[in-house]
Structures are given as C-alpha cells and as structure tokens.
C-alpha cells in the first residue's frame, strides 16, 4: 500500500485494517508471513444497557483476554491483566486478597498515601505560586504509592533507581496505544527486526520487570513471610503455602508480572485522573471554591482526612466522581475475548471474538446523564444535596475483569485531592484564559501538557 492509502493515526489504521483484511492477509503472505493477521473483528457493546447486559449475563463467557504480541515479550499468560483461565483466576485472587489484607479502607495503606501526598504538597509549595507543570511531581507521588504497596517502601525523587523507574513508565505509557504499538501488534514478526520507538518501549518494560525481580530477591532475604508488610510478602507466603500443589501458578515469574501490571495500570490511570482533576478545578474556580468551602466547614485546616470521611463531604465526592465520568481515562474498556459461543440480542458472538466495552458511551450516555458533555457535579447529587452512587458510573469497569485496584485508586484520588485543595487554590497563569480540555488521544486519554499556579491558602 502507498503511504497515502494508510492512515497516520492508530485508530484510523485499525479501521483500515478491519475493512481491508483480505488485502492485508495477502500482503503478509507476499512479504513472507503466514497470513495470521493479528486484528480480529470486534463486537462493541455500546451504551449502559448493552454493557450491563453483556457483562452481567455473560460474566464467565466474556472473561477472556485477547493476546497482545507486544506485551507477550515479557512472557505469555502471566500476571493479572493479560492472562487467561486458571492462571488469571489465581493471579487475580492473590491480587484482590492481598490488597484487602494490606488494609484498603483502613489506616495502613492510607498512611502510605498520606506520606506521598504530603511530599507532593511540599513540592507544590516550593513553586511559590509561580506557573509550573505539575505532571512529573504528580507522577512521582502516584508511582511511590505503588512502590509502597508492592515492596513496602517509598523513594526519594532524586533516587537514581526511582528516576529510572519513572522514566521507563513514561516511555512505556507514551508508546501504549500509539501508532507503532498498533503496527507492532499487527506485524510482530516483522517489527522485532526494525528500529523504532518500540525498541525503547521494550527496554522500558524490561527495566520495570528487572526492578520487580530485584525487590523480590530483597524480600526473599528478609524473611518477613509470617508478618507480611506488602504485596511481595503476601505473594511469597502464598507460594510457600502452594509449594506442593501441582496446579499452582504462584511463582516468581507471575509475581514479577503482577508487579509490572500494578505499575503499568495503577500508575497511569490514577496519574491521568489527577492531572484531569487539577485542570478541571483550575478551569472551574466556582466549583473549586465550593469544594474548599465544604472541606473547611467540616474539617477546618488541621487534622487528617480519611477515605471514610467522604460521607461527610457529599459535594466533594460528587465532584470527584464527575471528573472521572467526564474525563474517562481509557478510549474504550480493555478488550475482552469470548471463551464460548454467546447469543446476545439476536447476534451470535463466536468463541474467540473480541469484545469491546465502550465505557465512554456509558459515561456520556444522554439517556443516563442530564448534561453528559458538561462538568456537572449535580449528576451525583440528589435534590437535597446528598451524594448518589449511580450504577451507570462504570469508570472502573464491570464484571469479572473489573479493575483489581479500584478501591486503592478511589482512596488515592480522594486523599490526594482533598489534601491539595486544603493547601492551595489552583489558578490560571497570568494571560491564560483557559486550559485545553481536549485530550491527547491514545489508549489512555491524557490532557495536553499545561501549567498552573498553586497559591497557598494558609501558612
């Protein structure tokens, strides 16, 4: 195909590939491939009713995950996000149970989050009200929460290994869903021989995996299995318990891949959510002022605010949910694959089909939301100003593949934002009328780079 025939963006390329599959397959054969084209025809579930029906009526049937040749470089069928079958069930189980035991909703994990956010507050304070880009500071803070959860410690921003880790995450997250990622997944046998940004992304994946393996070795030497302090401790303890089980998939390779999943998924989504939150609060000073007034009226300027306190802050809670609804991070839900034939709404969905949950259509569904394209916290408030937890709010997915770390993410976002809004008023730099609210379109939807001013509220 000539360059003028092939779209430059990855979404256009996907559309092109789906509609010209036969020609592409013949090209693969012509170029020496085997014709096994990587892109399958997807079934898209769009709108709240279709997504809810598909994920609740067929939770097991739609629990598979399609292969991703790029991530398979790290090893097939490992970890939580991209594994399937028995391996996936065991890895998800240890992920969910470990997070629960580590005290989600209790003071233990909240203390780690509070440490990270206090460092972030001090870093913001050092800008002295001048315009600055908050992205690196926010990324460091969010990444440190995952470090604390996974391996029980946080790192100073100047730590060399921590800097390499955050840089690797930035490189990898920039690559995921970009044009070259799509090309790699389409022609993996060809791309591994060609230069390009995929080489840097592969190196970044290996660096994160190496970091995980180093932390695993440190934990094996410390012998804290009977008093587990973090995810690695809990996982190693489960390995010990399952040592004589021939069907166990609890091993160091899967442990390292689970840690990689925590960093790749848990860092990017929370980081992007916080970046959108700061942007929206800066663009909507009336909403920011109302949140700050509610926090001040209930808690004043001293003492800590825990996640349980969200019930005392209905407007603040509504604003946080509305931010996540309006600026949903993923362009679609992470694709699934049917593991059985399914008949749904008169359509036969064959085994092996891609299932795409269009969660953006749910969160922007005009049948469910009064003003779906506007930043309107009233979507989550009743007529008396009380918070309403709506089932249409599916920012963390639905069904058996819903986000493992959603409770951690909820706690992080609440504590980060309430702590920051107690300390600062976020304002536009002089001469700037509004920050750009259009997203940078990749698999995850980040805002364009921006600067703001963090004006201290009190000493």
């Amino acid at each position: 195909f000539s360059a003028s025939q092939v779209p430059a963006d990855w979404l256009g390329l996907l559309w092109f590939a789906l509609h010209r599959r036969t020609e592409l397959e013949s090209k693969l054969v012509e170029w020496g491939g085997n014709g096994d084209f990587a892109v399958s025809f997807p079934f898209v579930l769009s709108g709240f009713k279709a997504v809810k029906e598909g994920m609740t009526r067929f939770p097991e049937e739609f629990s598979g995950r399609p292969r991703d040749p790029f991530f398979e470089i790290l090893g097939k069928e490992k970890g939580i996000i991209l594994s399937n079958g028995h391996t996936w069930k065991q890895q998800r189980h240890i992920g969910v149970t470990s997070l629960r035991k580590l005290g989600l909703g209790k003071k233990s994990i909240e203390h780690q989050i509070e440490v990270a956010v206090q460092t972030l507050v001090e870093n913001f304070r050092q800008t002295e009200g001048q315009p600055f880009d908050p992205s690196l500071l926010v990324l460091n803070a969010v990444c440190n929460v995952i470090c604390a959860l996974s391996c029980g410690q946080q790192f100073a921003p100047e730590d060399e290994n921590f800097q390499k880790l955050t840089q690797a995450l930035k490189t990898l997250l920039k690559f995921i869903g970009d044009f070259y990622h799509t090309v790699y997944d389409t022609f993996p046998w060809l791309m591994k021989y060609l230069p390009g940004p995929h080489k840097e992304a592969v190196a970044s994946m290996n660096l994160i995996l190496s970091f995980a393996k180093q932390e695993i070795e440190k934990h094996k030497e410390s012998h804290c299995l009977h008093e587990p302090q973090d995810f690695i401790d809990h996982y190693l303890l489960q390995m010990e318990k399952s040592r004589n089980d021939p069907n166990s998939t609890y091993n160091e390779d899967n442990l390292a891949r689970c840690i990689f999943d925590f960093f790749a998924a848990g860092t990017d989504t929370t980081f992007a959510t916080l970046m959108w939150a700061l942007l929206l609060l800066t663009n909507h000073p009336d909403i920011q002022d109302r949140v700050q007034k509610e926090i001040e009226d209930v808690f004043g300027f001293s003492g800590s605010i825990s996640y349980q306190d969200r019930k005392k802050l209905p407007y603040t809670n509504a604003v946080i949910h509305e931010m996540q609804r309006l600026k949903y991070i993923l362009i679609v839900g992470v694709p699934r694959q049917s593991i059985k034939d399914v008949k749904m709404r008169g359509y036969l969905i064959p085994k092996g089909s891609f299932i795409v949950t269009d969660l953006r259509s749910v969160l922007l569904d005009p049948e469910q939301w009064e003003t779906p394209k506007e930043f309107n916290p009233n979507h989550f408030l009743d007529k008396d100003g009380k918070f309403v937890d709506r089932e249409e709010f599916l920012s963390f997915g639905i069904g058996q593949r819903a986000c493992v770390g959603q409770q951690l993410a909820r706690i992080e976002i609440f504590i980060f934002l309430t702590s920051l809004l107690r300390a600062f008023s976020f304002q536009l730099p002089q001469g700037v009328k509004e920050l750009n609210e259009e997203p940078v379109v990749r698999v995850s939807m980040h805002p364009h780079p921006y600067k703001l001013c963090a004006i201290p509220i009190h000493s």
Side-chain angles (χ1 to χ4, degrees):
F1 303 100
S2 67
S4 61
Q5 290 179 282
V6 181
D9 62 289
W10 74 272
L11 288 174
L13 179 70
L14 178 60
W15 182 260
F16 175 84
L18 289 173
H19 287 270
R20 302 188 69 172
R21 176 180 178 130
T22 302
E23 293 172 83
L24 283 166
E25 286 177 338
S26 66
K27 283 291 181 184
L28 280 172
V29 175
E30 178 183 329
W31 293 337
N34 59 11
D36 183 17
F37 189 51
V39 178
S40 299
F41 290 100
F43 287 82
V44 180
L45 306 182
S46 185
F48 173 66
K49 293 178 182 178
V51 170
K52 182 181 178 182
E53 178 183 345
M55 295 300 111
T56 56
R57 280 188 61 196
F58 310 104
E60 180 70 23
E61 292 86 342
F62 292 163
S63 65
R65 189 74 84 198
R67 61 185 290 268
D68 185 299
F70 176 72
F71 284 105
E72 284 182 357
I73 294 171
L74 294 183
K76 297 180 181 180
E77 296 294 306
K78 290 185 173 65
I80 300 173
I81 297 176
L82 297 177
S83 62
N84 283 293
H86 180 61
T87 299
W88 165 66
K89 290 181 179 179
Q90 287 204 326
Q91 303 312 307
R92 182 179 176 86
H93 174 76
I94 188 66
V96 171
T97 56
S98 296
L99 290 175
R100 188 181 300 122
K101 290 175 181 177
L102 287 169
L104 293 184
K106 300 177 183 178
K107 283 296 181 182
S108 55
I109 191 62
E110 286 194 26
H111 174 70
Q112 296 283 7
I113 295 171
E114 288 169 359
V115 170
V117 78
Q118 288 308 313
T119 300
L120 183 63
V121 167
E122 290 306 312
N123 288 331
F124 275 25
R125 200 181 301 281
Q126 290 174 15
T127 65
E128 298 181 341
Q130 297 301 306
F132 74 104
D133 179 350
S135 59
L136 181 57
L137 298 177
V138 173
L139 178 62
N140 285 347
V142 173
C143 187
N144 250 331
V145 172
I146 301 297
C147 287
L149 183 74
S150 300
C151 50
Q153 63 174 319
Q154 299 192 32
F155 298 88
E158 61 271 13
D159 183 277
E160 184 178 353
N161 287 332
F162 183 69
Q163 288 182 346
K164 290 180 180 178
L165 177 64
T166 54
Q167 183 56 50
L169 280 167
K170 288 171 64 177
T171 300
L172 180 60
L173 297 174
K174 182 179 179 181
F175 177 83
I176 296 174
D178 205 353
F179 173 77
Y180 277 96
H181 184 188
T182 306
V183 174
Y184 190 103
D185 281 356
T186 306
F187 308 111
W189 55 271
L190 177 64
M191 291 298 289
K192 64 183 180 181
Y193 297 110
L194 299 178
H198 58 287
K199 296 290 187 182
E200 292 182 28
V202 170
S204 296
M205 285 200 301
N206 288 329
L207 189 147
I208 298 169
L209 202 61
S210 176
F211 174 87
K213 291 178 178 178
Q214 289 174 16
E215 291 300 321
I216 293 169
E217 289 301 317
K218 292 178 184 177
H219 280 63
K220 287 165 62 179
E221 295 172 1
S222 65
H223 302 292
C224 292
L225 298 189
H226 298 295
E227 295 182 4
Q229 302 296 312
D230 50 49
F231 177 71
I232 294 178
D233 283 344
H234 279 287
Y235 198 105
L236 291 174
L237 179 59
Q238 183 61 50
M239 284 174 56
E240 182 67 23
K241 291 179 179 178
S242 306
R243 184 172 49 182
N244 297 322
D245 181 0
N247 296 317
S248 172
T249 63
Y250 298 116
N251 54 59
E252 289 185 28
D253 285 341
N254 268 317
L255 170 54
R257 183 61 185 262
C258 285
I259 296 170
F260 175 89
D261 288 347
F262 287 159
F263 277 109
T267 299
D268 185 47
T269 51
T270 303
F271 165 65
T273 298
L274 290 172
M275 290 299 294
W276 278 119
L278 292 174
L279 184 151
L280 289 171
L281 289 168
T282 303
N283 273 353
H284 298 270
D286 54 331
I287 293 176
Q288 180 182 174
D289 290 345
R290 187 171 169 183
V291 170
Q292 289 171 323
K293 185 177 187 307
E294 181 180 62
I295 294 172
E296 181 181 352
D297 288 346
V298 176
F299 295 101
F301 292 108
S302 61
S304 62
I305 301 177
S306 74
Y307 182 62
Q308 295 301 319
D309 291 327
R310 71 192 185 282
K311 298 173 184 177
K312 302 175 184 177
L313 301 170
Y315 186 77
T316 301
N317 201 16
V319 168
I320 291 173
H321 280 71
E322 177 66 359
M323 290 169 177
Q324 293 176 279
R325 182 201 69 81
L326 181 64
K327 297 300 183 182
Y328 176 58
I329 300 307
L330 301 178
I331 192 167
V332 292
V334 181
R336 306 189 189 190
Q337 192 167 35
S338 58
I339 62 175
K340 299 177 183 177
D341 289 350
V342 169
K343 190 76 175 289
M344 179 180 170
R345 296 195 174 190
Y347 292 94
L348 173 64
I349 302 177
K351 176 182 177 180
S353 299
F354 277 28
I355 310 298
V356 176
T357 53
D358 185 3
L359 296 182
R360 186 169 295 277
S361 73
V362 177
L363 298 169
L364 299 176
D365 192 338
E367 294 185 8
Q368 308 299 328
W369 310 96
E370 183 181 357
T371 55
K373 296 184 179 180
E374 295 179 14
F375 183 32
N376 179 8
N378 289 324
H379 285 140
F380 294 92
L381 296 169
D382 64 15
K383 61 180 181 180
D384 298 319
K386 295 181 179 179
F387 177 76
V388 179
D389 193 1
R390 300 180 57 169
E391 67 171 338
E392 302 92 348
F393 180 72
L394 297 181
S395 284
F396 296 99
I398 183 174
Q400 293 188 9
R401 286 278 187 175
C403 176
V404 170
Q406 65 173 289
Q407 187 71 350
L408 172 65
R410 290 176 187 272
I411 297 171
E412 277 187 90
I413 293 164
F414 180 81
I415 293 179
F416 268 85
L417 289 178
T418 54
S419 299
L420 289 171
L421 288 169
R422 288 177 97 187
F424 304 103
S425 174
F426 295 101
Q427 299 178 12
L428 294 166
Q430 187 174 1
V432 177
K433 295 182 178 180
E434 187 178 56
L435 299 177
N436 185 359
E437 293 191 14
E438 292 299 315
V440 177
V441 180
R442 293 193 180 94
V443 166
S444 56
M445 309 278 273
H446 288 245
H448 289 271
Y450 63 84
K451 291 184 178 182
L452 50 71
C453 299
I455 309 299
I457 294 177
H458 58 92
S459 61

